[in-house]
Amino acid sequence: MGFLDPDRLLPADPATRPLARRLYDAVQGLPIISPHGHTDPRWFAENAPFPDPAQLFVTPDHYVFRMLCSQGVPLDSLGVPRIDGGPVETDGRRIWRLFAQHYHLFRGTPSRLWLDHAFAEVFGLTERLSPANADAVYDHIADCLSQDAFRPRALFERFNIEVIATTESALDDLGWHRMIRDSGWSGRVITAYRPDAVVDPEFPGFAANVAALGVMTGEDTATWGGYLAAHRNRRAYFKGFGATSSDHGHPTARTENLSAADAAALFAKALAGQCTADEADAFRGQMLTEMARMSLDDGLVLQIHAGSHRNHSAQVLARFGRDKGFDIPTRTDYVRGLKPLLDAHGMDPRLSIILFTLDETVYARELAPLAGAYPALKLGPAWWFHDSPEGMRRFREQTTETAGFYNTVGFNDDTRAFCSIPARHDVARRVDSAFLATLVTSGRLDEDEAHELAHDLAYRLAKQAYRL
Amino acid sequence: MGFLDPDRLLPADPATRPLARRLYDAVQGLPIISPHGHTDPRWFAENAPFPDPAQLFVTPDHYVFRMLCSQGVPLDSLGVPRIDGGPVETDGRRIWRLFAQHYHLFRGTPSRLWLDHAFAEVFGLTERLSPANADAVYDHIADCLSQDAFRPRALFERFNIEVIATTESALDDLGWHRMIRDSGWSGRVITAYRPDAVVDPEFPGFAANVAALGVMTGEDTATWGGYLAAHRNRRAYFKGFGATSSDHGHPTARTENLSAADAAALFAKALAGQCTADEADAFRGQMLTEMARMSLDDGLVLQIHAGSHRNHSAQVLARFGRDKGFDIPTRTDYVRGLKPLLDAHGMDPRLSIILFTLDETVYARELAPLAGAYPALKLGPAWWFHDSPEGMRRFREQTTETAGFYNTVGFNDDTRAFCSIPARHDVARRVDSAFLATLVTSGRLDEDEAHELAHDLAYRLAKQAYRL
Amino acid sequence: MGFLDPDRLLPADPATRPLARRLYDAVQGLPIISPHGHTDPRWFAENAPFPDPAQLFVTPDHYVFRMLCSQGVPLDSLGVPRIDGGPVETDGRRIWRLFAQHYHLFRGTPSRLWLDHAFAEVFGLTERLSPANADAVYDHIADCLSQDAFRPRALFERFNIEVIATTESALDDLGWHRMIRDSGWSGRVITAYRPDAVVDPEFPGFAANVAALGVMTGEDTATWGGYLAAHRNRRAYFKGFGATSSDHGHPTARTENLSAADAAALFAKALAGQCTADEADAFRGQMLTEMARMSLDDGLVLQIHAGSHRNHSAQVLARFGRDKGFDIPTRTDYVRGLKPLLDAHGMDPRLSIILFTLDETVYARELAPLAGAYPALKLGPAWWFHDSPEGMRRFREQTTETAGFYNTVGFNDDTRAFCSIPARHDVARRVDSAFLATLVTSGRLDEDEAHELAHDLAYRLAKQAYRL
């Protein structure tokens, strides 16, 4: 275990820790179900070695580089590529030294937990990263990465991943997934249908994207009917590569249930680039309801990831592009936003809509009451900024009393940082074991129930909710 | 105690639990003061046996049936009556078996605490409900219900209820209350004045309701002056049946303090069915201020229960009607909403306005600062979805530092589930004892003060704030 | 220590308390850095004795008198001066007795912690204040106040204050600060630039204030350019008296980045008294961006204290004026509000903008993600209503995982209650020690890191962030 505390994240008080430990011990070795995330299918298709420690841990991880940025470290110096192709740091060792010099910034953050876990458990390091050992650690990891045992498929197997879902654009040809399938490798890597580029009128190139969707599907996507048919077509295609869900990242939780004529008119405006901001939001909201309807036919689970103000910094967007750590949560209204969709289909138990939020104030006020009533709704786990020990604890404390455990869906790692996957599931299993143990020692749950729940939360509910 | 943990909800840590236990022991046997709730006065008037276990625990309890509904159990199958009178399940045993099959859904919820407490303490059961023992439990409870000791008045006495308030519409003739009074029974059952049907322009039949109010009171409720006089008349009538409070369940916390002419004009619009949604909200807000003014004369405490989005599901409303578990909390603004009322009467120490919220974000930000300054304001306890161990803890943690304890009013059970009343008060007494003990062991309170406060919170403050 | 628990605010559980104690012991004696507050520089200039116990602890402290007011004690009876100069209680002993009679109201509040700490540590009292000992306590404190050891400078030195910042209006001549400097006393008392009176079009006398600013600086403040120059002039003047920061108390977090022409036009409207409420808010927002720009030149740290609904009670404002305990927090949107300023200057690491909030819901949702990304942003400590054990704990639990510790700035006492300063810093040091110890015992931090952080949070970060 090296420098990791074997009892980390378990309750300190001596009356609760032993039970939490027993609960955790029983689930810590379960296979990983990863039903939503952003790993790159190319890794598993090509199975090439990861390039270097900085490329693995720093440059692609917005949790990591935004923290350094917040303390004045320029993103260029961490190798983050510029939109204009201008020069950025490319020397992995120099990037790594910068990272190690600032490693104290991660004290108290989940990034620190994930990094330490990967350093210790994946790479066998035995002391905390520091400026003093930066070079030695770099050399050690680089050496590991040159070995076959650290290639993507070997790590996948070592991580005990039973199934992992990646996320692809509706316009993706799923070539990497095809290559994985054709390779005969036994690892189960599935896709998920993410149509932002063709359902968001404000997405760069929306009209061209919709036209491309038409080409891909042979449907006339200039018409509302053809456009919907094209979605159905792509969803079926994605199902052919294992998809069991679609995923929607909208700035608000708004839904609409317009008449076909009104929806067609709004679609025409969107294609013409004439939507106001409000109309664009309405169109995205209409598409959530359409996706729910398609789901009744094809069974894809509908994930709604609402409430991120994307690309908050104009400067960072202009220089480095999207997904660079400057997506900021906003207040989100699920009660009014979801009503049109719920009035249409919320009572249908065949439907599985999984809600995520970046606004923790809605856990107890909105999400738990909604999911604790509507058969179609389930709650996704604590997301993104809240995918952390305190965040997960707040999620359980604020949702369980109204929604119970069985309207939640286990854990999502939701990451593109491959080596953090075991760490993230481990954190979730520990935090849930701690929460369950606390319920038992405070007389709110029996121990046999806690054991059953620990297994449900770590494994079974994710498979069930995502139909895996 | 059967399967109940005698130390449930007390802090697990060995440095705090013994003190929490002492605090709880000193208050656990105090009489129950129930100043706000929804029990049926008919029970106490007729004193007939409760019909069967399902009718007692499942079919009327929206906490219970909405949770089963959320997992796909149709409300019909739980006996919830349909608006159209169509067939629903009537076999109590079949309903009970469904309930027992899904009892695991309540793990971690307050319903589970209340149900287990009632099963153990009221009915003497010694093991957890399960599919395996469903029939035996049903038979046992059914057998109890056939005994005189389980009739409403006997349970009232056994529950050690010193006083309980029901809630009646302004248009109710209080016939059951009259029957209770005329019976000579010593139990103190009082009413409370709930005028939603005649103060909310959006209430079904508003104009007809106002006309009926005129008939009942002999006032000309077609005029603003007559309408106000009718309220004063009904409030006096309710006081005659013990009422010490009025109660107002509004979608927002908006108040208004219009001139008499403007108020009269708005009232005329409301009667004519011509209010916009905003005007209807303004009229409700005006009536809160009017009720505060009447309160200065007649002394009724003013309860404001704001922020529920009633009947969120159009389908459920159409099929099963109101109060079927689909009321969802919303964000509520007390700072701007209450200002007109507070500018008019907030500094008057004769007034007692008790605020409730479904939006926990306002505890520390709005309610505690308001109640910690205005003499007219007090904070009601954690309400509805938040009437739970974690909810109550958050209430204390987030209100006490700014409002103290003495701007709060003890506990309300606020329930129509009669057998849950002792359980709910017990939960409150335990959570408060735990909170107080934590203050003592962290050096923020002396033990003698904690004992005094435990008694205040369990008993004295409710009597004082509600003038009982 | 008298009646103070030496382990107060440290975790009760025996596995964590000893470590928390070690962390606290190492920082409890560090000098006090007080970079933001409202003590009166006149105290240190004149070094006159404080008048009497009521004038020291009750009459000027809005935390104290609003709590008594909330329970019906008239502000007049506590000596709070009336706007109209009408009679109020002036007998310190009578005020003190009222205070002592109501001392139980403060149970569970931070005021109680601060008062008890001052009573015990500053005045050597050995028992809790009560109606029974009110007179004796009064006499004891009054006797102390007559001694030289209790004059402001002596207390300043005894409190181990390394540096304290007061806050003065842009229109203040800093005469008391000059007198302190000229006195040769070694105590470091600095000012801070608070320009509300000349940047807020809704401030009473705005146009006259701006004219006065012109007179003070020799700039033509009737023009936009002259007005900005006058600010630069005053900022330099304040720097001459030690200022390292400006401070801005706005009702919202709105910023603007208008063109010079648009800003000039808006300024002209403001001077003419023709701004709408929205335009006034826009002007204040523009001035935050202007202040940030000036900061790039002169290095003053920019503090934004947003979200207070000032003077909520019209009655209290009319009778007693501003700052009388009726400022109520409101919801505040930092994500949209700060974007114009951040788009202009947020990526500039030379800038230090310190954000404060009264809306705790933004800690995890908005402030930590913003400060965890933008180099220009830091988070001020839990503020005002949240400057309390539970409030500080929530601040750490909700900001650390995303922003880390190093985007925070240590503690501000932010008080005008001089004797509470050691108490407030002590509370912060204890709560942070408790939080850090919890991270260690839950395996999230190593003990050596916790010790370094305890020192950083108690001392170093405040000096660094405020450039002291």
Side-chain angles (χ1 to χ4, degrees), chain C residues 364-438:
Chain C
R365 188 181 61 214
E366 303 182 16
L367 293 189
L370 288 166
Y374 283 99
L377 294 182
K378 297 280 179 297
L379 302 186
W383 178 38
W384 201 339
F385 298 95
H386 312 307
D387 173 18
S388 60
E390 299 294 333
M392 290 176 184
R393 183 178 56 77
R394 286 194 291 269
F395 174 81
R396 290 285 176 217
E397 287 180 356
Q398 294 175 26
T399 64
T400 305
E401 293 185 320
T402 293
F405 291 102
Y406 293 96
N407 287 305
T408 66
V409 304
F411 183 63
N412 285 182
D413 56 70
D414 195 7
T415 190
R416 62 198 77 224
F418 188 46
C419 289
S420 77
I421 288 177
R424 289 169 188 254
H425 286 263
D426 186 67
V427 168
R429 290 169 185 189
R430 288 173 180 273
V431 172
D432 282 337
S433 296
F435 182 71
L436 292 167
T438 300

Side-chain angles (χ1 to χ4, degrees), chain A residues 190-365:
Chain A
I190 64 178
T191 185
Y193 187 64
R194 175 91 174 206
D196 293 6
V198 289
V199 302
D200 177 5
E202 296 176 325
F203 202 92
F206 171 71
N209 297 339
V210 171
L213 182 70
V215 172
M216 291 183 102
T217 58
E219 299 287 348
D220 177 7
T221 55
T223 71
W224 175 238
Y227 170 73
L228 293 180
H231 276 293
R232 281 190 289 268
N233 178 308
R234 289 308 283 166
R235 290 167 64 102
Y237 184 78
F238 273 61
K239 280 186 75 173
F241 290 92
T244 68
S245 68
S246 69
D247 179 35
H248 307 272
H250 291 190
T252 73
R254 178 171 178 178
T255 64
E256 292 291 347
N257 189 22
L258 304 173
S259 68
D262 287 348
L266 188 57
F267 177 61
K269 272 188 111 165
L271 276 190
Q274 294 170 345
C275 278
T276 63
D278 183 65
E279 288 169 335
D281 206 42
F283 184 75
R284 290 187 295 261
Q286 177 66 22
M287 287 312 296
L288 288 178
T289 305
E290 298 296 345
M291 291 286 150
R293 270 195 271 277
M294 292 180 199
S295 184
L296 288 170
D297 291 329
D298 64 21
L300 291 189
V301 168
L302 178 70
Q303 300 176 91
I304 301 178
H305 285 91
S308 176
H309 189 302
R310 302 274 171 182
N311 313 307
H312 190 267
S313 167
Q315 284 184 55
V316 171
L317 179 63
R319 188 172 175 89
F320 300 102
R322 304 168 70 89
D323 298 326
K324 291 301 175 292
F326 282 77
D327 298 337
I328 308 292
T330 56
R331 279 205 300 261
T332 309
D333 180 345
Y334 293 83
V335 179
R336 291 176 190 85
L338 295 178
K339 189 167 178 5
L341 169 53
L342 294 174
D343 276 344
H345 303 293
M347 296 303 291
D348 194 325
R350 294 172 303 164
L351 203 55
S352 180
I353 302 173
I354 303 179
L355 301 175
F356 296 82
T357 193
L358 294 176
D359 179 356
E360 292 178 309
T361 71
V362 306
Y363 285 158
R365 189 182 61 213

